[in-house]
Amino acid sequence: MGKVSAAFSLKHVLVLSLALNVGLILRVLHEGGGEKNLEKENRDAGAGAGAVMASKEAHAGMTSSSSTGAAEAVAGGGDDGSVIDLDHGDPTMYERFWQQMGDKTTVVIPGWQYISYFSDVRNLCWFLEPEFANAVVNLHKVVGNAITDDHNIVVGTGSTQLFQAVLYALSPADTSEPMSVVSAAPYYSMCPLEDYTTCSYAISRPIDSSYPLQTDYLKSGLYKWAGDAYKFSKDTPYVELVTSPNNPDGSTRQAVVNQSEGILVHDLAYYWPQYTPISFPADHDIMLFTVSKSTGHAGTRIGWALIRDREIAKKMTKFIEINTIGVSKDSQLRAAKVLQAVSDSYDRDGNPKESKAFFQYGYNLMAERWRNLRAAVNMSGLFSLPDFPVEACTFSRRAFEPQPAFAWLKCEGEIEDCESFIRKHKILTRGGKHFGVSPKSEVLRNKIFTE
Amino acid sequence: MGKVSAAFSLKHVLVLSLALNVGLILRVLHEGGGEKNLEKENRDAGAGAGAVMASKEAHAGMTSSSSTGAAEAVAGGGDDGSVIDLDHGDPTMYERFWQQMGDKTTVVIPGWQYISYFSDVRNLCWFLEPEFANAVVNLHKVVGNAITDDHNIVVGTGSTQLFQAVLYALSPADTSEPMSVVSAAPYYSMCPLEDYTTCSYAISRPIDSSYPLQTDYLKSGLYKWAGDAYKFSKDTPYVELVTSPNNPDGSTRQAVVNQSEGILVHDLAYYWPQYTPISFPADHDIMLFTVSKSTGHAGTRIGWALIRDREIAKKMTKFIEINTIGVSKDSQLRAAKVLQAVSDSYDRDGNPKESKAFFQYGYNLMAERWRNLRAAVNMSGLFSLPDFPVEACTFSRRAFEPQPAFAWLKCEGEIEDCESFIRKHKILTRGGKHFGVSPKSEVLRNKIFTE
């Protein structure tokens, strides 16, 4: 380890810094600049929350600076106690785009409007704002990433709440055993459940809302996390969660359990054309989406589900009624305005009407970051990144390889535990063991772009 | 029953109609007027959602009309299938006040702001908007209904989510048996849990988010509803929920279980000077409040908890993180603006600066409705209402008796089952059995003013 550690020099810290904000560090080193510049660049580039840029090697002479007010100082690790935090992300990278859009997506709500609990009592989801529902349908039509016909829309306080609503809705009412919930590893996670009470991530980190944890945190008698779908063989009712593109490794996914008693839940949070080619309009029975990933408005806490079966949609609505008595009207209105603005910036054939259409902006941003990241990783010799197949996108009519909102980085060579190794160098990441793969795995994850 | 039923004439329907919108029916009958007028009056008076004004006896020649777009048509019962729904409320009665306030509480949110998941990472509740926290502290100082010093503020998606967060936070980590949750009957409820799957209320009614249901809907292994606190005698950890003023009967409450292992949770949703005299600033360890009851903004889904113990506040924050990854920023901003406007309309001594200060408006509205309701009930001879003691209010420096946001009406005389009896006459109410009191009880409840 000593040899490896010694070899972990400025160059390698840089690689990981790049994972946070590609291009920024190199520019800073090449062009020089003080803390003020760094702060500005950081904010302009939407460096992401949790970004405390501070490694002394990387930023000679600079002190730690928080990028967007969303950074979290983490004690320990360096002489000045500062670290580079690549553990979780935040979609502030889209901030600049929305700023350039001016007033188009400004929402104005007079104090006397939207006071009621109710939005539309004729709709089975009685707290769904019709304006938001329309915007969802319009956007899917423009992008062509999901079929909304023959589906009920259920709005949720983020897709996080909708995932729990789905589990509640699918649980058999009359069983003594909890329904199994599985997903193919690596899956969206944070902390191995058995370690939860001692797991430093779960205790100290914000945004710990992984699927295993969401399933098991209340020790429900209705459902229970049953781990890796590849290893599931019980002959009982189960839910298989299919996240595509997958968080954390970016791969396109399909169901892996082949049994009759299962119900599939498709988490399509990242199935948008800035991240991955849209190859077909998804038409699954249960599909989850969220504003935080599509347009970057994480603070609004709005997600939506497209549900074919009316009874399942009703039970999901009931869950949200018991859990939070509906979903913020203000946020639904804001989300409606943002989604509609995106739709309106494209013509009927999906061509952008203006030079600054949202998905083009997002695509270019992600493409540039991935180019820089791959270049830096190649330069390092210590790491590797996944290769994705190039595919045609029906929306942009361009062929490209996926450029996920996170990087599934693997340590090559002698390094046994990538997360611990890198942590010694004042960089926080999330290791493979948190995603349901072997604890000895050498992979690590940087949620570099958005959460 | 036949005799009683026959006696249930226009006069008695009127009494119950009054419970929905006191004064309106009499005015309609005395002054005449068509459907359009009724609709307008209904909306102006903030008649409450769920209000389908349709009893033919009461509104000769009028057809059913929905008051605020929040009404729910319920089939069956009458010739034209319409009913008067007094089952649940909605705080639209405050709509007119906020309209008169003009732009003072209008919130404007540009599309590029509040994108991040994070509000203030230095705060243990990292998704709490500082502006909202300040508004909460200021309002409690002005009203004098709660001590905020030495308490942590946790924001929630309504107090509904906060209640569940409290249960999660208080559950012992290392016990095999779920913690007991109790409350003195009658308690905020809707459906007896054992009947949940067949209970028409739970299936057909919106806003079914009662305490027993919130506690048990996921069959949690952490906590379990244990019913009436008066009957609780187990020598194990428990939570006693103290709702004061109590929903549904309006009484001022204190803990009734006297054991060492219990933790008290004070739901003070209705402890505001339009509903009840403020007799002292509450200083409990765990206090819950909500915007829907204090200012009427139910659609924003914002509540707050004042929590003395830092570790409990942290665990509540963790629950909300797993449940919904924080709370809508948009709604927090809106709530902050509304709460601050209320505070700003009073001077340091609690005197209203303007003629139309919020609590004065609310007090007058409730007082008028209760006067009319009591007069109508006295006139009927079939019903009775609770008597409350007159107490001094430190905020308004006025002595008055509580005027709750709901009426706990009792059927007198020969009527055995008040809810069923009244339902036959096309009026939906919520009977005593839904609140943890005997199913043979003759009480019924009309949530006439707000939910």
Side-chain angles (χ1 to χ4, degrees), chain B residues 368-398:
Chain B
E368 185 195 352
R369 290 183 175 200
W370 272 92
R371 265 196 309 276
N372 289 339
L373 181 63
R374 287 196 185 278
V377 163
N378 288 340
M379 187 177 80
S380 79
L382 274 181
F383 308 105
S384 67
L385 284 165
D387 284 318
F388 300 109
V390 171
E391 283 184 58
C393 177
T394 56
F395 172 73
S396 65
R397 290 186 284 278
R398 175 197 281 135

Side-chain angles (χ1 to χ4, degrees), chain B residues 55-119:
Chain B
S55 169
K56 273 208 290 195
E57 294 100 321
H59 319 301
M62 291 181 204
T63 57
S64 170
S65 74
S66 161
S67 65
T68 59
E72 186 182 18
V74 181
D79 296 339
D80 58 357
S82 55
V83 297
I84 298 176
D85 187 346
L86 307 182
D87 176 74
H88 58 267
D90 203 22
T92 47
M93 65 177 201
Y94 296 130
E95 211 172 80
R96 179 183 264 188
F97 175 84
W98 294 114
Q99 201 164 8
Q100 287 168 350
M101 292 285 278
D103 284 344
K104 274 186 193 165
T105 54
T106 298
V107 74
V108 179
I109 308 174
W112 59 275
Q113 285 187 347
Y114 304 98
I115 278 188
S116 172
Y117 285 101
F118 299 88
S119 296

Side-chain angles (χ1 to χ4, degrees), chain A residues 71 90 109 111 113 115-117 121 202 208-209 218-221 297 299 301 318 321-322 324 328 330-331 334, chain B residues 71 90 107 111 113 115-117 121 202 208-209 218-221 297 299 301 318 321-322 324 328 330-331 334:
Chain A
D90 204 22
I109 308 174
Q113 286 188 346
I115 277 187
S116 171
Y117 284 101
V121 290
D208 173 12
S209 194
L218 295 175
K219 295 186 182 173
S220 173
H297 291 79
R301 312 305 315 121
K318 181 56 73 179
E321 182 183 313
I322 304 171
T324 56
S328 162
D330 319 310
S331 286
R334 188 177 190 207
Chain B
D90 203 22
V107 74
Q113 285 187 347
I115 278 188
S116 172
Y117 285 101
V121 290
D208 172 12
S209 194
L218 296 175
K219 296 188 181 171
S220 173
H297 290 80
R301 311 307 313 123
K318 179 57 70 179
E321 182 184 312
I322 304 171
T324 55
S328 162
D330 318 311
S331 287
R334 187 175 190 208

Side-chain angles (χ1 to χ4, degrees), chain A residues 190-202:
Chain A
M190 195 161 209
C191 227
L193 257 286
E194 59 276 16
D195 298 346
Y196 183 63
T197 49
T198 53
C199 170
S200 63
Y201 282 94

Side-chain angles (χ1 to χ4, degrees), chain A residues 340-360:
Chain A
Q340 194 55 50
V342 174
S343 294
D344 290 345
S345 64
Y346 293 92
D347 67 19
R348 283 194 168 191
D349 300 320
N351 297 315
K353 287 184 199 165
E354 346 183 1
S355 61
K356 286 186 175 166
F358 176 72
F359 292 120
Q360 270 63 20

Side-chain angles (χ1 to χ4, degrees), chain B residues 211-323:
Chain B
Y211 287 133
L213 193 55
Q214 285 173 33
T215 308
D216 281 358
Y217 72 129
L218 296 175
K219 296 188 181 171
S220 173
L222 301 179
Y223 43 77
K224 190 173 168 51
W225 186 255
D228 188 356
Y230 284 112
K231 296 174 185 163
F232 183 74
S233 59
K234 275 170 83 177
D235 194 19
T236 51
Y238 70 93
V239 163
E240 180 177 353
L241 183 64
V242 182
T243 308
S244 186
N246 191 43
N247 179 350
D249 67 357
S251 63
T252 299
R253 284 281 188 88
Q254 288 180 328
V256 303
V257 185
N258 186 16
Q259 286 183 36
S260 58
E261 291 201 75
I263 300 179
L264 302 181
V265 175
H266 282 83
D267 181 347
L268 304 180
Y270 293 103
Y271 193 46
W272 294 100
Q274 68 269 50
Y275 305 121
T276 197
I278 302 302
S279 47
F280 62 93
D283 191 22
H284 309 291
D285 290 346
I286 299 174
M287 300 184 275
L288 306 182
F289 291 92
T290 166
V291 168
S292 63
K293 310 304 184 291
S294 49
T295 69
H297 290 80
T300 62
R301 311 307 313 123
I302 292 289
W304 67 96
L306 303 177
I307 307 293
R308 197 178 322 263
D309 186 285
R310 192 174 159 82
E311 291 309 310
I312 292 173
K314 273 172 85 170
K315 273 197 80 177
M316 288 177 68
T317 300
K318 179 57 70 179
F319 173 91
I320 294 170
E321 182 184 312
I322 304 171
N323 193 216

Side-chain angles (χ1 to χ4, degrees), chain B residues 151-189:
Chain B
H151 283 80
N152 303 280
I153 298 175
V154 180
V155 65
T157 311
S159 61
T160 299
Q161 187 180 41
L162 290 164
F163 172 68
Q164 293 162 74
V166 164
L167 296 188
Y168 175 79
L170 297 180
S171 301
D174 51 356
T175 178
S176 58
E177 206 183 336
M179 177 182 71
S180 295
V181 183
V182 299
S183 189
Y187 41 73
Y188 172 30
S189 177

